[in-house]
Amino acid sequence: MSNSLLRVGIVGSGGIAAQHAIGWNAFPQFATIAALAEVDTARAEAFSLTHTNSAAKIYNSLDAMLADDAVDVVDICLPHHLHTDAVIAAAKAGKAVLCEKPLCTTLEDARKIKAVIDESGVPFMSGHNQVFQPSLIEARRLMAAGVIGKPFLMRSIETFRNQAYDPYSYAQMPPAGPRGWRTDVKSAGGGELLDTGYHSTYRLLALAGEDKPVEVTGFLSRFHIADWPTEDTGQVTIRFASGAVGEILTSWAFDVDGSRQFEVSGSLGAVGGGATFVSHQLYGWPEAARRSIPGTHTFTAEIGQFIKVVRDGASNPADADAAIRVLQVIKAAYLSARLGQTVSLPDDPSADPVPGKSTPTPFDVEVLDDVLA
Ligand SMILES: NC(=O)c1ccc[n+]([C@@H]2O[C@H](COP(=O)([O-])OP(=O)(O)OC[C@H]3O[C@@H](n4cnc5c(N)ncnc54)[C@H](O)[C@@H]3O)[C@@H](O)[C@H]2O)c1
């Protein structure tokens, strides 16, 4: 496979598949969209016309597409609850797999996925597109160069006012409409935290680098989507093995001032950023130095890296273990919110979170009797 054109089959021709198609079409020397699998044939035909000039073969099921030897890569752009079976079937068929976030909706499924990927040995990457945001890459470069010293606090923010769930537009959606599966917790597998919060979680873990999350406390709210059975907003506090504290703020109810996406404060200074800027402030500076950094189409950057993973075995920032760790943190936050207590993360990213605090970290503080009095 390594030197020939990768023949890509995209499963699902909805909203995100269109972004992936832009990505694949940016690398015509390495890849071509050869096939589509979609239950809605009219949608697939329109998609094929727009993105492949009707060249892609159209199948009405993934299984039919997997039988096609002229497909090397399967790009899964299906609703959350269909990811597990699709990843497993594609890997068993020997295809390289790119799968949209979230990897899946349960850790049990994550373990099944991991077993099949390991056994088949196919390249696998999860859709952590925002790790390719240039501002985040620059902030991580600054951190690696030591400019903020030892990180104490890492914050990742992914918030927007989700108009699709405003009562007016929500009422207009037919049950089987494009957002139909998102309005059913059984198929969505969770609320905002599992969906959009997935981005803030993998961004936080990217900022933490080798530092392992060990403890999670979750806090969920429903501010905006009144007839939604679960959260539209999540706040999650994570203790890392180094003692650094992570925070995730994610919401469909509101955005934050300046649309900031991350902040890290350390022993020497702080760094922060959004989609198109990075700021950096050493303690004592009157204000932060702020630099504009052009954004990028992160799906194209992601697909560019995936092509390198498949062709050259390049580094993979979203392999199965990384994707499973993201899900473990989110599941831990749900468990914590339900129990009203902190939960611990086992070392194995696919293992279930455990109620209770983990082993002490270097910055833990004892709560003294005098303070409680
Ligand atoms: N990375 C991001 O920023 C981002 C943004 C949006 C969505 N996503 C992810 O992409 C995935 C898809 O989301 P979307 O917004 O494109 O959804 P969507 O509802 O717009 O599209 C899903 C498509 O899958 C098709 N489909 C459903 N069942 C099928 C089956 N069994 N076989 C073949 N096709 C089938 C539907 O007909 C539809 O066209 C989700 O998991 C979501 O989390 C990621």
Side-chain angles (χ1 to χ4, degrees):
M1 196 189 286
S2 70
N3 285 323
S4 49
L5 199 64
L6 294 175
R7 296 160 301 179
V8 180
I10 302 179
V11 201
S13 304
I16 212 60
Q19 300 305 315
H20 284 224
I22 293 169
W24 289 113
N25 285 337
F27 302 100
Q29 67 280 40
F30 297 125
T32 183
I33 301 170
L36 302 171
E38 168 60 73
V39 287
D40 182 334
T41 306
R43 185 178 295 175
E45 280 168 359
F47 188 98
S48 180
L49 176 64
T50 306
H51 297 288
T52 76
N53 204 14
S54 296
K57 276 187 257 176
I58 295 175
Y59 294 100
N60 62 8
S61 76
L62 173 60
D63 284 347
M65 191 176 87
L66 292 178
D68 185 344
D69 286 339
V71 170
D72 309 305
V73 171
V74 172
D75 179 2
I76 298 166
C77 296
L78 292 171
H80 303 354
H81 63 302
L82 303 177
H83 290 184
T84 302
D85 287 352
V87 174
I88 289 175
K92 282 188 170 168
K95 317 286 187 187
V97 182
L98 175 64
C99 180
E100 254 306 337
K101 48 60 57 177
L103 172 67
C104 54
T105 60
T106 69
L107 282 167
E108 195 184 340
D109 278 2
R111 291 188 279 271
K112 289 184 199 157
I113 288 174
K114 167 85 173 140
V116 173
I117 288 171
D118 285 353
E119 200 182 308
S120 63
V122 297
F124 171 84
M125 193 160 128
S126 194
H128 298 185
N129 56 296
Q130 294 199 32
V131 295
F132 299 98
Q133 188 84 262
S135 56
L136 180 68
I137 292 170
E138 175 62 3
R140 292 178 67 193
R141 190 186 69 79
L142 291 171
M143 287 172 66
V147 298
I148 63 162
K150 186 175 174 49
F152 296 148
L153 175 77
M154 298 173 275
R155 181 177 288 148
S156 173
I157 302 163
E158 192 71 26
T159 51
F160 66 100
R161 173 80 177 181
N162 194 335
Q163 306 296 341
Y165 292 89
D166 274 346
Y168 175 75
S169 49
Y170 184 66
Q172 306 307 304
M173 286 175 208
R179 285 194 183 267
W181 61 270
R182 279 195 170 86
T183 60
D184 179 351
V185 174
K186 281 205 181 67
S187 46
E192 191 276 344
L193 178 61
L194 181 67
D195 193 325
T196 295
Y198 205 86
H199 295 293
S200 31
T201 307
Y202 69 64
R203 185 191 294 116
L204 183 78
L205 296 180
L207 286 166
E210 295 299 307
D211 205 357
K212 274 200 193 133
V214 292
E215 205 177 276
V216 174
T217 310
F219 189 87
L220 305 176
S221 310
R222 183 171 49 230
F223 292 121
H224 164 48
I225 309 171
D227 55 351
W228 175 244
T230 184
E231 84 287 353
D232 64 29
T233 298
Q235 283 158 279
V236 184
T237 303
I238 297 163
R239 181 87 76 173
F240 286 88
S242 71
V245 176
E247 290 180 0
I248 290 166
L249 173 61
T250 185
S251 183
W252 283 339
F254 55 78
D255 200 355
V256 296
D257 184 48
S259 297
R260 190 166 265 248
Q261 292 181 328
F262 58 87
E263 288 174 355
V264 185
S265 296
S267 52
L268 302 176
V271 65
T276 56
F277 72 94
V278 167
S279 57
H280 167 224
Q281 187 159 22
L282 283 182
Y283 301 135
W285 286 3
E287 59 186 43
R290 185 179 159 118
R291 182 150 77 88
S292 292
I293 296 193
T296 194
H297 186 249
T298 53
F299 299 98
T300 297
E302 166 187 285
I303 284 168
Q305 185 63 24
F306 181 65
I307 289 171
K308 288 186 196 156
V309 168
V310 176
R311 288 174 62 94
D312 313 323
S315 67
N316 183 346
D319 62 9
D321 281 336
I324 293 169
R325 181 69 87 188
V326 177
L327 185 66
Q328 186 195 43
V329 169
I330 290 171
K331 287 289 172 178
Y334 280 124
L335 178 65
S336 162
R338 171 141 169 188
L339 299 176
Q341 69 175 95
T342 297
V343 303
S344 300
L345 299 181
D347 227 25
D348 172 359
S350 71
D352 293 326
V354 184
K357 287 179 69 63
S358 68
T359 48
T361 69
F363 301 127
D364 273 11
V365 173
E366 224 180 288
V367 181
L368 306 173
D369 290 345
D370 288 348
V371 177
L372 276 181

